[in-house]
Amino acid sequence: MSNYPKPDPATLLEIYKKAALIKLNDERIIKQMMAGKLVMPYYSPRGQEIIPSAISVSLTDDDYICTIYRGIHDMLAKGFPLDELWAELAGRVTGTCKGKGGPMHLTCPDKGMMVTTGIVGSSMPIATGLGWAAKLDGKNRVSIANFGDGAANIGAFHESLNMAAVWKLPVIFVCQNNLYAEHTSVAYSRAIDKISDRAAGYGMPGVTVNGNDPDEMYGAAKVAIDRARAGEGPTLIEAMTFRFNGHLLGEAGHYMDKGLYAQAQKDDPMPILRARLIADGIANEDELAAIEADIDARIDVALAAAYDAPFPDVAELKRDVFAEEIA
Amino acid sequence: MSNYPKPDPATLLEIYKKAALIKLNDERIIKQMMAGKLVMPYYSPRGQEIIPSAISVSLTDDDYICTIYRGIHDMLAKGFPLDELWAELAGRVTGTCKGKGGPMHLTCPDKGMMVTTGIVGSSMPIATGLGWAAKLDGKNRVSIANFGDGAANIGAFHESLNMAAVWKLPVIFVCQNNLYAEHTSVAYSRAIDKISDRAAGYGMPGVTVNGNDPDEMYGAAKVAIDRARAGEGPTLIEAMTFRFNGHLLGEAGHYMDKGLYAQAQKDDPMPILRARLIADGIANEDELAAIEADIDARIDVALAAAYDAPFPDVAELKRDVFAEEIA
Amino acid sequence: MTDTTTTTAPADNQVRKMTAVEAINLALHDAMEADAKVLVLGEEVADPQEGGVMGVTKGLSTKFGEDRVKSTPISEQAIIGAAIGAAVGGYKPVAEIMLMNFVTVAMDMIINHAAKLRFMSGGQTGVPMVIRTMTGAGFSTGGQHSDYWEAWFAHAPGIKVVAPSNPDDAYGLMRAAIDDPDPVLFIENLPSYWTPAPVTKQIIPIGKARIAREGSDVTVIAHSLMVTHSLAVAEKLSGEGVSVEVIDLRTISPWDKETVLASVRKTGRAVVVHEAVKQFGIGAEIASVITEELWGTLKRPVERVGAAFSSVPFSKPLETAFAPQPDTIAAAIKAALA
Amino acid sequence: MTDTTTTTAPADNQVRKMTAVEAINLALHDAMEADAKVLVLGEEVADPQEGGVMGVTKGLSTKFGEDRVKSTPISEQAIIGAAIGAAVGGYKPVAEIMLMNFVTVAMDMIINHAAKLRFMSGGQTGVPMVIRTMTGAGFSTGGQHSDYWEAWFAHAPGIKVVAPSNPDDAYGLMRAAIDDPDPVLFIENLPSYWTPAPVTKQIIPIGKARIAREGSDVTVIAHSLMVTHSLAVAEKLSGEGVSVEVIDLRTISPWDKETVLASVRKTGRAVVVHEAVKQFGIGAEIASVITEELWGTLKRPVERVGAAFSSVPFSKPLETAFAPQPDTIAAAIKAALA
Ligand SMILES: Cc1ncc(C[n+]2csc(CCOP(=O)(O)OP(=O)(O)O)c2C)c(N)n1
Ligand SMILES: Cc1ncc(C[n+]2csc(CCOP(=O)(O)OP(=O)(O)O)c2C)c(N)n1
Ligand SMILES: [Mg+2]
Ligand SMILES: [Mg+2]
């Protein structure tokens, strides 16, 4: 991995901006939920900010991604419009899905965010199909499939990786290994150390990287994306990380290993990256504070607009079932 | 593989007896079908006789097996009663499944033959469950899952191997790789050379052997079965072989590589094993001819009894849907 | 088939109030204690994983061991396959599919195997297993977490379908489901999981409905949460002089035609209510049989109440409008009385 | 909705007789030629694999290339997933699931994704794809190869369900299904695959039924192979002085209520026939709607004909008794006329 391309300072700052947006947005969602203003199942991505941020800097709006219920970080990193996001979370008609999808089904095709699924594993077959479409388009687009460590044990994983390999599709399978699937630690669900070892069984490269390290994550993603764009086929990336807020917001997390949790907190990638930017002279405290304040201000606006917007009319139940409205 | 245990002469003869039964029975089925006496979809195992024969000599009636539509060889090797088999193929009420199951669902729990499925891949999850039952029983039983090369690409394969590995179940996954899945050659369905390479992704041993060679097949099976009985968990065996009669009896086989076919015919394991028994002095021509004549005579009896037996009554439609007959 | 009970009499004076979560937990506990062949498997079901996402299986692995209570990888096909194999191998597994939408991943195992193995083997291999699953709209979980698909399984010969409406039934039907020689799909309603009610610990036979409330003007046939809504509506309408008989189906397949037909024979009017989408839902079969059997007696066509023809929407006002509510049921009853 | 046609007039004088296999092949060919976005995928569909197990897709990969016509590994989840992804990415894939029993493996992709993505995304992502599958009892293929499961999909909002009864409809409905902006499940009947009939190459609108035979005494509503059986029975009964109107549903969801109700309004009697198991089959919904809408007009309860409540049995006499046959249909018609 030492020969991975490294992010330059501007890219590193860009990664931080995306990651900070994810973190601050997450904190605000939790605050709003605690205040009873937002009512929804929430799968916080806190702790996993670096992964999509370091991937997305190598993507354009044309590239496709599919993600899962815990995917708001993937979305924000790829440029999901904040206003439409908040309106959707608030179930308003101004939301990206008119309030019909909610947090588990965020979609924004304009920016390549095609499918968010609540079914474990199901991002992968669809991302594979988007990879096929991308290949047919001939525009060097790539398709990113995000999923968790738990999802690597379901049948859809196997079928998708195999098909993508046989068809040499430009798909990057990103397994965000946060060590738990709901309350199940990885040790309970597989008898191997690294999920990336499964790649060999499909004939594609597989790597395990520290997903919290912007250098490694950026490098591994860049190599895989370049490879996909060059028509050389898919890659499996296992990005090691941690979820700080448990599976579903509000759970107690008793099943978690205390030592692991403490260590993960020490390794929290956000303060580490922030400190590094300052230490390396990429940005100073004031600049970073300004970036963060700007994000907060944008969230303020999005949030206020969301709550002001109307709920969808019940007539919406008849729309979008089929292309033609039901009589 | 050179350190695999080898079958002794008596075992080798036993393997031949099973294999000859499979081959002669297959020929008779085809004859009866050609004569219009049997009407059914038939997936001939011709060419794959050695695999289950060399496995079954290490099994007892207590051990479980699950197999697939192309599984009559697995059944006969494990001791499926010939009378009940023929009656079932003829759709008679004296068949093992009262004529309700037919060739794709042959079942004989008394001899451990628990499930035959017509759905690709589905033998594996159920065999995994039988492995769990076997483990709970504490009697050192094993569970054999038979499936094809094509089935190794379906999700059920992945989930089953992973679960069996995590739970350390006494399951032997036997992939009978006959180079084709219906009309699809293996090259079209995977980007790797050996299916056994997938075992590493689950944390279990995986081997590829010449399934047509009784020594290799016996050895690999014995090691896996002993390992399972010792509580050390599952094994994936990829047994290389060939199907001489195509996928479904009656197809033209135009999709088959002619060179491959010619080579396979030269490698037909049945004449080779027969010649070896004679060459090694394990049995002479007369003894083998007597064995074969005896098999033929048993088939004569089974076949005649089958055609003489009555068809099931239509009242059978109400039976065995639930344990209690439907009113 | 005459042992339908109007109200369940307490078996002894140990009647405790509990939630459905507690009642199901107790049923599993009692069944595992009574029979060493009873097993539990599914995602998170063992105690190191907190005994199920909702805690329904809490304590079982600690008491009965992690050989009998197994947390699984996220692998629904293997979960059901493992249960089928264990059942065919002589055990009585209770497999959890966390939410009903996830049964879609395991349909081959359920439909082509669990439901068919007895028939296809000519009776040689029964599959005595229970598939527990939960569902129900109301928690803003959106399009992939709240569907009711009982109609699919009712249409599939070989598998029974049960859906309790209260903790007492949850206990009694779970015990019966575990003892049943055939596969049973056991549908739990998530939004009413934590509503406490008395639990008598009586085993309730599969295939029998319960007259949850007697009445004479119109018969409402419901299951799961819709029984609660229907009872509330019946109570309200009794104030308006309308006498509503409410039948809790308890078992959807095979359903209790005798009890339903006897009631509609009496009232001459019927309303079938389910939370599943109305079109091609189980209400159609029940309405058809009532119409076929009671033609001439029936005073009005059977009314059917079900969810809107859409995915379950996220936004609260839409979610409420999507699923049948007490006022929808009341309106259908009035239509039936017209 | 008044453009129901009684008989399909030939569009030109190029009407050829062909089998359903040929008609579907031609429809796929013409659609691929007309629109470069049309793709075909599934097990064996390309020519090196002989263009499908039944040859339905023969010649397509040779003409349009193996980028657009892709043989797949045996991976039904990935097949449907690939089709969904391609559809969301702007293509019009036609995915084959070899037999209808194998849809069970891909139900999550079909039900939770293909059918729901448009709704859940608020209309942003349509899924214009076709799932071709074949089924039908009669070939002694037993319990896992002949089921009709159209009721499952009709109950699922967001996916259309089509089932042609003859080669002309197979062509015309396939062209319409490919052009449709929504996912369409296209059910082909295997036992009648090779029965030739004239094909006019007209596109047939989804959602419209066809009056296959006019009559005045009773309306038979059928689809797929049951239309052929019903027409034969109607012909026979006409000799006995009974005038049977036969409606070919063509589309099961959304079904053509107008045409069905208009017919039953005229005849006052109805029989719904399908090969799927009768209980909880689509006949229940159709009978219920007829009863609800034509209460007072209807002279007898709607009769329903469907398969026995069992798995499809192997043994020939059982298989014949399992599925509806012309005499079963005739008996139901007589019951409706009683
Ligand atoms: C097919 C299916 N089974 C079960 C679930 C319930 N479920 C939701 S999230 C989850 C855990 C997934 O863990 P992982 O893949 O590691 O992703 P993470 O939540 O950790 O990001 C489970 C079991 C589901 N949504 N879909
Ligand atoms: C889930 C599923 N998909 C497709 C089929 C149709 N089918 C039957 S056999 C077969 C090929 C299987 O090939 P393989 O696993 O190599 O076994 P073999 O027939 O060669 O023994 C296919 C695709 C099926 N039965 N089940
Ligand atoms: Mg995880
Ligand atoms: Mg094969």
Side-chain angles (χ1 to χ4, degrees):
Chain A
M1 301 173 192
S2 51
N3 54 354
Y4 276 155
K6 286 228 159 32
D8 59 26
T11 304
L12 211 55
L13 186 59
E14 189 59 30
I15 292 172
Y16 180 74
K17 281 185 188 168
K18 289 175 183 290
L21 170 61
I22 295 164
K23 177 169 179 283
L24 293 170
N25 193 68
D26 178 76
E27 287 165 0
R28 198 70 74 87
I29 287 176
I30 294 173
K31 221 184 238 167
Q32 293 292 308
M33 288 183 71
M34 295 301 180
K37 297 261 223 160
L38 283 183
V39 179
M40 61 177 188
Y42 184 54
Y43 306 88
S44 163
R46 182 68 264 284
Q48 305 184 194
E49 293 91 344
I50 300 298
I51 298 170
S53 302
I55 294 171
S56 291
V57 290
S58 303
L59 301 176
T60 75
D61 286 353
D62 261 4
D63 294 313
Y64 292 130
I65 82 168
C66 291
T67 189
I68 59 172
Y69 50 91
R70 189 186 320 283
I72 211 166
H73 55 318
D74 301 321
M75 297 280 156
L76 287 171
K78 199 164 190 297
F80 205 98
L82 212 48
D83 293 353
E84 293 181 23
L85 173 75
W86 275 88
E88 189 63 29
L89 299 183
R92 300 311 207 271
V93 72
T94 49
T96 173
C97 307
K98 303 189 209 163
K100 293 156 109 167
M104 277 201 260
H105 306 298
L106 295 169
T107 310
C108 181
D110 287 351
K111 304 225 167 213
M113 286 171 272
M114 307 311 285
V115 173
T116 300
T117 181
I119 309 293
V120 166
S122 298
S123 56
M124 290 178 268
I126 301 177
T128 300
L130 284 160
W132 183 26
K135 186 171 184 172
L136 286 164
D137 286 346
K139 294 183 188 154
N140 301 324
R141 282 181 171 166
V142 303
S143 171
I144 311 277
N146 291 288
F147 57 101
D149 45 287
N153 299 318
I154 203 164
F157 167 92
H158 182 67
E159 296 190 8
S160 306
L161 272 78
N162 187 55
M163 185 180 277
V166 175
W167 293 4
K168 275 206 166 201
L169 299 180
V171 184
I172 297 99
F173 294 94
V174 180
C175 179
Q176 304 192 16
N177 185 344
N178 57 19
L179 307 185
Y180 287 92
E182 293 199 336
H183 306 171
T184 306
S185 86
V186 286
Y188 259 83
S189 61
R190 54 184 169 87
I192 52 167
D193 284 335
K194 291 197 279 175
I195 289 165
S196 64
D197 283 346
R198 291 185 175 161
Y202 307 107
M204 69 170 78
V207 290
T208 297
V209 295
N210 179 352
N212 291 351
D213 175 4
D215 291 335
E216 269 195 34
M217 191 64 233
Y218 169 85
K222 184 93 175 66
V223 167
I225 292 167
D226 287 350
R227 186 181 139 82
R229 291 204 205 283
E232 290 164 29
T235 300
L236 171 61
I237 300 176
E238 178 181 23
M240 303 306 298
T241 186
F242 198 80
R243 356 148 282 205
F244 284 112
N245 293 322
H247 176 63
L248 183 63
L249 196 75
E251 63 155 64
H254 294 312
Y255 56 87
M256 277 203 249
D257 185 285
K258 286 200 177 50
L260 210 62
Y261 192 87
Q263 184 60 48
Q265 267 181 319
K266 273 193 216 138
D267 296 341
D268 186 340
M270 293 305 295
I272 292 175
L273 175 55
R274 196 177 192 284
R276 174 177 162 191
L277 290 174
I278 295 173
D280 290 2
I282 296 173
N284 63 31
E285 172 60 40
D286 288 351
E287 286 163 343
L288 293 180
I291 287 170
E292 290 149 6
D294 175 59
I295 291 170
D296 267 327
R298 284 166 54 213
I299 295 174
D300 285 340
V301 172
L303 177 164
Y307 293 144
D308 277 349
F311 283 102
D313 189 272
V314 294
E316 282 296 335
L317 287 175
K318 291 177 182 293
R319 294 191 195 122
D320 306 323
V321 175
F322 293 122
E324 206 173 310
E325 187 169 331
I326 292 174
Chain B
M1 301 171 191
S2 51
N3 53 355
Y4 277 157
K6 287 227 160 26
D8 59 26
T11 304
L12 211 56
L13 186 60
E14 189 59 29
I15 291 172
Y16 180 74
K17 281 185 189 169
K18 288 175 184 288
L21 171 62
I22 295 165
K23 178 168 178 285
L24 293 171
N25 192 68
D26 178 75
E27 287 165 0
R28 198 69 74 85
I29 287 176
I30 294 172
K31 223 184 235 165
Q32 294 292 307
M33 288 184 70
M34 294 304 179
K37 297 260 223 159
L38 283 183
V39 179
M40 60 179 190
Y42 184 55
Y43 307 88
S44 163
R46 185 65 265 283
Q48 304 183 196
E49 293 90 344
I50 301 298
I51 298 170
S53 302
I55 294 171
S56 291
V57 291
S58 303
L59 301 176
T60 76
D61 286 353
D62 261 3
D63 293 314
Y64 293 129
I65 83 168
C66 291
T67 189
I68 59 171
Y69 51 91
R70 190 187 321 283
I72 211 166
H73 55 319
D74 301 320
M75 296 281 156
L76 286 171
K78 199 163 192 296
F80 204 98
L82 212 49
D83 294 353
E84 292 180 24
L85 174 74
W86 275 88
E88 188 64 28
L89 299 183
R92 299 312 207 271
V93 72
T94 48
T96 174
C97 308
K98 302 190 208 162
K100 291 156 110 168
M104 277 200 262
H105 306 298
L106 295 169
T107 311
C108 181
D110 286 351
K111 304 224 168 215
M113 286 170 272
M114 308 311 285
V115 173
T116 301
T117 181
I119 309 293
V120 166
S122 297
S123 57
M124 292 178 267
I126 300 178
T128 300
L130 283 160
W132 183 27
K135 187 171 183 173
L136 287 164
D137 286 345
K139 294 183 188 153
N140 300 323
R141 281 180 171 167
V142 303
S143 171
I144 311 277
N146 290 287
F147 58 101
D149 45 286
N153 299 317
I154 203 164
F157 167 92
H158 182 66
E159 296 190 8
S160 306
L161 271 78
N162 188 54
M163 185 180 278
V166 175
W167 293 4
K168 277 206 165 198
L169 299 179
V171 184
I172 297 98
F173 294 93
V174 180
C175 179
Q176 303 192 17
N177 185 343
N178 56 20
L179 307 185
Y180 287 92
E182 292 201 336
H183 305 170
T184 306
S185 86
V186 287
Y188 259 81
S189 63
R190 55 185 168 84
I192 53 167
D193 285 334
K194 291 197 279 174
I195 289 165
S196 64
D197 283 346
R198 291 185 175 160
Y202 307 106
M204 70 171 79
V207 290
T208 297
V209 296
N210 179 354
N212 291 352
D213 175 5
D215 291 335
E216 269 195 34
M217 191 65 234
Y218 169 84
K222 184 93 177 63
V223 166
I225 291 167
D226 288 350
R227 185 181 140 82
R229 292 203 203 283
E232 289 163 30
T235 301
L236 170 62
I237 300 176
E238 179 182 22
M240 302 307 297
T241 186
F242 198 80
R243 359 148 278 204
F244 284 111
N245 293 322
H247 177 63
L248 183 64
L249 196 74
E251 63 156 61
H254 294 312
Y255 56 86
M256 277 203 248
D257 185 285
K258 287 198 176 51
L260 210 63
Y261 192 87
Q263 184 60 49
Q265 267 183 317
K266 274 193 216 134
D267 296 340
D268 186 341
M270 292 306 295
I272 292 174
L273 176 55
R274 196 176 192 284
R276 174 178 163 191
L277 291 173
I278 295 173
D280 290 2
I282 296 173
N284 63 32
E285 172 60 41
D286 288 352
E287 285 163 343
L288 294 180
I291 287 169
E292 289 148 6
D294 175 59
I295 291 170
D296 267 326
R298 282 167 53 213
I299 295 174
D300 286 339
V301 171
L303 176 163
Y307 293 144
D308 278 350
F311 284 101
D313 190 274
V314 294
E316 282 297 335
L317 287 175
K318 291 177 182 292
R319 295 189 195 123
D320 306 322
V321 176
F322 293 122
E324 206 174 310
E325 187 169 332
I326 293 174
Chain C
M1 289 207 184
T2 50
D3 50 346
T4 317
T5 45
T6 302
T7 42
T8 313
D12 52 38
N13 48 18
Q14 296 185 322
V15 177
R16 278 209 289 136
K17 273 203 164 195
M18 8 178 142
T19 65
V21 168
E22 291 167 321
I24 299 164
N25 180 275
L26 186 62
L28 293 171
H29 174 274
D30 291 356
M32 293 193 82
E33 190 154 77
D35 185 348
K37 294 284 185 186
V38 178
L39 310 173
V40 166
L41 74 162
E43 292 152 19
E44 335 273 315
V45 298
D47 287 330
Q49 291 76 38
E50 303 201 348
V53 265
M54 301 297 161
V56 174
T57 51
K58 215 184 263 306
L60 298 177
S61 76
T62 301
K63 175 141 185 198
F64 300 106
E66 283 191 56
D67 284 336
R68 286 178 66 194
V69 180
K70 291 198 87 69
S71 284
T72 67
I74 308 176
S75 310
E76 279 80 4
Q77 295 189 65
I79 292 170
I80 302 297
I84 293 171
V88 167
Y91 291 83
K92 297 180 175 178
V94 180
E96 175 176 322
I97 297 291
M98 202 178 283
L99 283 174
M100 192 158 204
N101 281 78
F102 314 154
V103 297
T104 52
V105 184
M107 285 297 276
D108 165 55
M109 280 292 132
I110 301 173
I111 296 293
N112 288 326
H113 296 90
K116 290 179 183 240
L117 287 180
R118 180 186 292 281
F119 186 87
M120 296 194 308
S121 70
Q124 295 181 94
T125 48
V127 187
M129 63 184 271
V130 178
I131 303 172
R132 286 185 48 234
T133 195
M134 60 184 177
T135 195
F139 278 2
S140 304
T141 47
Q144 295 177 331
H145 280 63
S146 331
D147 284 328
Y148 267 89
W149 293 122
E150 70 274 21
W152 292 354
F153 301 92
H155 188 43
I159 182 164
K160 299 180 180 179
V161 184
V162 163
S165 70
N166 62 67
D168 198 36
D169 284 14
Y171 181 94
L173 288 167
M174 177 55 81
R175 292 298 305 269
I178 293 171
D179 286 345
D180 200 274
D182 289 303
V184 177
L185 179 70
F186 193 91
I187 306 170
E188 302 165 16
N189 177 263
L190 182 55
S192 65
Y193 247 175
W194 298 276
T195 311
V199 169
T200 63
K201 296 184 65 172
Q202 287 180 308
I203 293 179
I204 295 171
I206 287 177
K208 306 282 181 211
R210 170 179 76 105
I211 295 173
R213 179 189 175 107
E214 285 193 58
S216 53
D217 295 334
V218 54
T219 304
V220 173
I221 301 123
H223 64 275
S224 195
L225 180 66
M226 293 300 120
V227 174
T228 310
H229 283 2
S230 299
L231 286 171
V233 171
E235 182 59 30
K236 185 153 169 273
L237 290 183
S238 79
E240 302 175 24
V242 179
S243 171
V244 180
E245 179 143 309
V246 178
I247 296 183
D248 181 348
L249 274 183
R250 284 178 164 171
T251 300
I252 294 159
S253 179
W255 62 286
D256 185 354
K257 292 193 185 115
E258 285 75 7
T259 299
V260 170
L261 293 176
S263 173
V264 184
R265 203 171 278 122
K266 175 176 78 177
T267 60
R269 301 169 192 275
V271 179
V272 195
V273 187
H274 50 67
E275 184 171 324
V277 162
K278 173 178 165 183
Q279 287 84 348
F280 300 91
I282 68 149
E285 177 71 23
I286 293 169
S288 292
V289 171
I290 291 173
T291 307
E292 288 156 11
E293 299 287 330
L294 302 182
W295 187 255
T297 308
L298 210 55
K299 295 176 191 144
R300 291 274 313 151
V302 180
E303 291 287 327
R304 295 183 295 145
V305 179
F309 195 71
S310 81
S311 303
V312 184
F314 167 70
S315 184
K316 199 72 203 165
L318 292 189
E319 193 189 25
T320 305
F322 165 83
Q325 304 296 342
D327 55 354
T328 346
I329 299 170
I333 291 173
K334 286 185 180 158
L337 289 166
Chain D
M1 287 208 183
T2 51
D3 52 345
T4 316
T5 47
T6 302
T7 41
T8 314
D12 52 39
N13 48 18
Q14 294 186 323
V15 177
R16 279 208 289 135
K17 273 202 161 194
M18 27 180 124
T19 64
V21 169
E22 292 166 322
I24 298 163
N25 180 275
L26 186 63
L28 293 171
H29 172 275
D30 291 357
M32 293 194 82
E33 190 154 76
D35 185 349
K37 293 285 186 187
V38 178
L39 310 173
V40 166
L41 74 161
E43 292 152 18
E44 335 271 319
V45 298
D47 287 330
Q49 291 75 39
E50 303 200 347
V53 264
M54 302 297 161
V56 175
T57 51
K58 215 184 260 314
L60 299 177
S61 76
T62 301
K63 176 143 185 193
F64 301 106
E66 283 191 56
D67 283 337
R68 287 179 64 195
V69 181
K70 292 198 86 70
S71 282
T72 66
I74 308 175
S75 310
E76 280 79 6
Q77 296 188 66
I79 292 170
I80 302 298
I84 294 171
V88 167
Y91 291 83
K92 297 180 176 178
V94 181
E96 175 176 322
I97 297 291
M98 202 177 283
L99 284 174
M100 191 157 205
N101 281 79
F102 315 154
V103 297
T104 52
V105 184
M107 285 297 276
D108 165 55
M109 280 292 131
I110 301 173
I111 296 294
N112 288 326
H113 296 90
K116 290 180 183 237
L117 287 180
R118 181 186 292 281
F119 186 88
M120 295 193 310
S121 70
Q124 296 181 94
T125 48
V127 188
M129 64 184 271
V130 178
I131 302 171
R132 287 184 48 235
T133 194
M134 61 185 174
T135 194
F139 278 4
S140 305
T141 48
Q144 294 177 332
H145 281 64
S146 332
D147 285 328
Y148 268 89
W149 293 122
E150 69 274 21
W152 292 353
F153 300 91
H155 188 43
I159 182 164
K160 298 180 180 179
V161 184
V162 163
S165 70
N166 61 68
D168 198 36
D169 284 14
Y171 180 95
L173 287 167
M174 178 55 81
R175 292 298 305 270
I178 293 171
D179 285 346
D180 200 273
D182 290 303
V184 178
L185 179 71
F186 192 90
I187 306 170
E188 302 166 17
N189 177 262
L190 184 55
S192 64
Y193 246 175
W194 298 276
T195 312
V199 170
T200 63
K201 297 184 64 171
Q202 287 181 306
I203 293 180
I204 295 170
I206 286 177
K208 305 285 181 211
R210 170 179 75 105
I211 296 173
R213 179 189 176 108
E214 285 193 58
S216 52
D217 294 334
V218 55
T219 304
V220 174
I221 300 123
H223 65 274
S224 194
L225 179 66
M226 293 301 120
V227 175
T228 310
H229 283 1
S230 300
L231 286 171
V233 171
E235 181 60 28
K236 186 154 169 274
L237 291 182
S238 79
E240 302 175 22
V242 179
S243 172
V244 181
E245 179 144 309
V246 178
I247 295 182
D248 181 348
L249 273 183
R250 284 177 163 169
T251 300
I252 294 158
S253 178
W255 63 286
D256 184 353
K257 291 193 185 118
E258 283 76 6
T259 299
V260 170
L261 294 176
S263 173
V264 183
R265 204 172 278 121
K266 176 177 79 178
T267 61
R269 301 169 192 276
V271 179
V272 195
V273 188
H274 50 68
E275 184 172 324
V277 162
K278 175 178 164 183
Q279 287 84 349
F280 299 92
I282 68 150
E285 176 72 21
I286 293 169
S288 292
V289 170
I290 291 172
T291 308
E292 287 157 12
E293 298 288 331
L294 302 181
W295 187 255
T297 308
L298 210 55
K299 296 175 190 144
R300 291 274 312 152
V302 180
E303 291 287 327
R304 294 184 294 145
V305 179
F309 194 72
S310 80
S311 303
V312 184
F314 167 69
S315 184
K316 199 69 205 166
L318 292 190
E319 193 188 26
T320 305
F322 165 83
Q325 304 297 341
D327 55 354
T328 346
I329 299 171
I333 290 174
K334 288 188 177 156
L337 289 165

